Amino acid sequence: MKRTRLVAVAVTTLAVVGTSTGTALADDTATDAGYLQQSRQGNLTEILAGEDALANSGDECVRHVGEVLIRDHTLLDADVTALADARGVDLPDAPSPEQQRTLEEVSALAGTAEYETAWLLAQEEAHLDTLDLIDTQVEYGTDEEITAAALSARPIVEMHLEMVRGGVCRAEVDPASVPAGFGPR
């Protein structure tokens, strides 16, 4: 019963995370400074998720993806931080509350058969949201350097999505083992 409640909370959190990123909105919170702030939170989230995979996954593929996330999002975050510093944009020091809840809920599944599946599906959702954020910046952003950074980040995020969505890790996921509510869009 506890696991069912946890999965239900995780599903709600994933739904909130998807709506909290400012995806497909052409306003100041989703472009330029808002893009930098939300990218920072996304990068921090992905670094923590990668660390969680290294600490809690017994699956070599998931651990490899975790290492890639740590490496790539650390580099992307350095770019975001430099752009923000040059523009005087304050950046958050932690993931959003919704992102933190998702990290905690997936981590709580460590040691269970559901952990890897929940981790991969949470990463899929997060990277889809990041692509939406990037696309919003590209379409509506007014700062050319920030937009260029978003464009250069896009192939990296797409590669991460492919790794968790259609890569070797997912080929081993048995659909019957997917916790309720975790799944592709």
Side-chain angles (χ1 to χ4, degrees), residues 16-149:
V16 170
V17 169
T19 60
S20 70
T21 60
T23 57
L25 297 176
D27 62 31
D28 291 337
T29 63
T31 58
D32 298 335
Y35 170 82
L36 293 174
Q37 292 164 337
Q38 291 176 44
S39 291
R40 167 75 171 167
Q41 288 179 306
N43 288 328
L44 294 174
T45 301
E46 298 312 317
I47 293 165
L48 291 170
E51 291 170 352
D52 190 66
L54 292 177
N56 293 312
S57 181
D59 184 282
E60 214 36 56
C61 186
V62 170
R63 292 175 58 79
H64 171 71
V65 174
E67 290 172 346
V68 170
L69 293 181
I70 292 167
R71 179 196 68 209
D72 292 351
H73 284 282
T74 298
L75 293 171
L76 290 171
D77 195 54
D79 291 341
V80 165
T81 302
L83 286 166
D85 287 347
R87 286 152 181 78
V89 175
D90 290 328
L91 294 178
D93 293 333
S96 72
E98 294 86 8
Q99 292 164 326
Q100 290 176 26
R101 277 193 295 274
T102 299
L103 288 167
E104 291 167 5
E105 289 160 355
V106 171
S107 185
L109 294 172
T112 71
E114 292 88 8
Y115 175 81
E116 281 79 12
T117 300
W119 188 90
L120 288 166
L121 294 171
Q123 291 313 303
E124 179 179 7
E125 188 72 22
H127 285 83
L128 286 168
D129 289 342
T130 299
L131 288 172
D132 286 345
L133 180 66
I134 289 169
D135 291 343
T136 299
Q137 175 62 34
V138 169
E139 186 169 351
Y140 301 106
T142 58
D143 186 307
E144 291 179 17
E145 273 190 273
I146 295 172
T147 299

Side-chain angles (χ1 to χ4, degrees), residues 127 156-168 170:
H127 285 83
I156 297 165
V157 176
E158 286 174 332
M159 185 256 311
H160 294 170
L161 179 60
E162 180 58 31
M163 289 177 79
V164 300
R165 184 182 249 181
V168 176
R170 289 297 288 280

